[in-house]
Amino acid sequence: MDTFTRMRTFVEVVEAGGFSAAARKLGRSKALISKYVKELEDELGARLMNRTTRRLALTELGQAYFRDAGEILQRVDDLQDMVRERHGEPTGLLRVAAPRTFGDSMLGKAIMDFVAANPAIRLDLRLDDRFVDLIDEGFDCAIRVSELSDSSLIARKLADYRFATVVRPDVAAVHGLPDTPDDLTRLPCIIDSNLRNRFNWRYLVNGTRQTVPVSGRVEVNSPSAVRLAVLAGLGFGSVPYKMVEDDVAAGRLRIVLPDFELGAASIYVVYPHRRHLSAKIRAFVDFMADWFQKNGDECGTGPTSPAAETAEPH
């Protein structure tokens, strides 16, 4: 066991906020992670952190060591990435999280195209409609379809994403069609619990975003389930347009409030703050941005102009 490995383990424990989170990220047992940190303290002849069952706290020496060790390891990583990038293609395991609904379709195709173009990359793709914690769960990056807000993560916009309000024609005949977004407050709506503001749908009204409170007796946790509920005649739903495009064309569903743009969602790739991205993450981010620039129209998202990296969407 070399000093750099022990040092890196210690830094991972501090950044992850505990031994269990660091173990998950590194793919090693909690006992082994604890052993490495103990060996580092024995080697240095100093205690770097105080441990309890609930939390850990750095000692004064631990804080200084963490700061300087992080800089040293970053320099080592930068040098390794520089050599790898100059020598050849991105390599290693890339762990990506993506929404199940979208990962099964266009996002899945984009990600698999990246793997096909980079034979030295090994992919671990996890599809889940919840928002994963990248650091705590050990992911390199994630794809998210959401609005943008401040966060500790970096985000790069890939494309704008169109949503639509839909209903089954016979349901519209019974309840009537809304003339304005405010009319939805009196109509049964299907609630997607994955949305942070699931009981408030946002429409563009006269150039201004307007929040409309909605309610209904059905709450689900995926856009696919929203579509099924609407097809079952259980109410009005807010879904990605591409998901119901065939239903609308076949007359099974109809779009309501076509003159009011729904939502402000976009597709982003997000990843933790780093001074220098590893070659595999940088290659993935750049590939995804280029892929959506070329294929946005086919996917029903529409191309987006290249965007600077910014805060994470929620």
Side-chain angles (χ1 to χ4, degrees), residues 11-281:
V11 170
E12 291 286 358
V13 169
V14 177
E15 290 183 341
F19 289 90
S20 297
R24 287 192 295 270
K25 181 177 180 181
L26 296 173
R28 296 178 176 177
S29 70
K30 179 180 177 182
L32 185 60
I33 296 298
S34 181
K35 176 176 177 289
Y36 288 170
V37 173
K38 180 63 168 59
E39 289 176 348
L40 177 63
E41 291 179 323
D42 291 343
E43 180 182 336
L44 296 173
R47 177 174 288 276
L48 300 177
M49 59 176 63
N50 294 313
R51 308 159 181 80
T52 68
T53 56
R54 290 180 174 271
R55 59 187 296 272
L56 61 84
L58 293 178
T59 64
E60 185 176 351
L61 280 174
Q63 292 175 347
Y65 188 86
F66 170 69
R67 181 185 63 249
D68 292 343
E71 292 180 1
I72 291 170
L73 291 171
Q74 186 65 63
R75 290 181 183 179
V76 172
D77 290 342
D78 289 349
L79 285 172
Q80 290 178 333
D81 286 341
M82 178 191 70
V83 172
R84 288 169 182 158
E85 288 176 345
R86 291 183 180 182
H87 180 264
E89 56 198 354
T91 63
L93 176 65
L94 181 70
R95 298 197 69 221
V96 181
R100 180 178 301 278
T101 303
F102 303 99
D104 287 340
S105 55
M106 60 175 184
L107 283 179
K109 176 171 172 43
I111 294 170
M112 295 312 165
D113 284 351
F114 168 77
V115 177
N118 294 273
I121 288 289
R122 294 181 294 117
L123 174 69
D124 180 2
L125 175 62
R126 302 299 176 91
L127 301 179
D128 197 325
D129 285 327
R130 70 182 176 87
F131 273 26
V132 302
D133 186 314
L134 268 65
I135 295 176
D136 189 48
E137 299 180 51
F139 287 97
D140 293 301
C141 51
I143 305 295
R144 290 182 177 167
V145 182
S146 184
E147 296 183 24
L148 188 66
S149 64
D150 293 335
S151 173
S152 59
L153 301 182
I154 297 295
R156 182 165 178 180
K157 183 177 178 179
L158 301 178
D160 293 312
Y161 203 68
R162 295 176 57 198
F163 279 72
T165 307
V166 293
V167 68
R168 210 168 72 179
D170 60 330
V171 173
V174 172
H175 293 280
L177 289 173
D179 295 317
T180 69
D182 282 333
D183 292 336
L184 286 171
T185 59
R186 62 175 177 79
L187 297 173
C189 294
I190 313 300
I191 307 301
D192 186 345
S193 61
N194 280 309
L195 301 178
R196 292 180 183 269
N197 297 310
R198 58 186 182 271
F199 295 110
N200 294 281
W201 294 356
R202 299 183 66 201
Y203 289 86
L204 189 63
V205 180
N206 297 324
T208 303
R209 286 290 167 192
Q210 177 179 320
T211 298
V212 178
V214 296
S215 62
R217 63 190 182 93
V218 178
E219 185 171 335
V220 296
N221 67 343
S222 82
S224 294
V226 172
R227 171 183 171 270
L228 292 175
V230 175
L231 285 170
L234 299 176
F236 294 74
S238 167
V239 288
Y241 171 73
K242 193 67 177 178
M243 184 176 293
V244 294
E245 184 177 28
D246 292 342
D247 297 317
V248 172
R252 292 185 293 269
L253 297 178
R254 67 173 295 174
I255 294 178
V256 300
L257 299 172
D259 297 329
F260 298 91
E261 178 186 315
L262 173 62
S266 297
I267 303 173
Y268 298 88
V269 55
V270 301
Y271 50 91
H273 280 278
R274 287 173 185 165
R275 286 193 310 166
H276 184 88
L277 278 181
S278 65
K280 63 183 180 183
I281 298 178

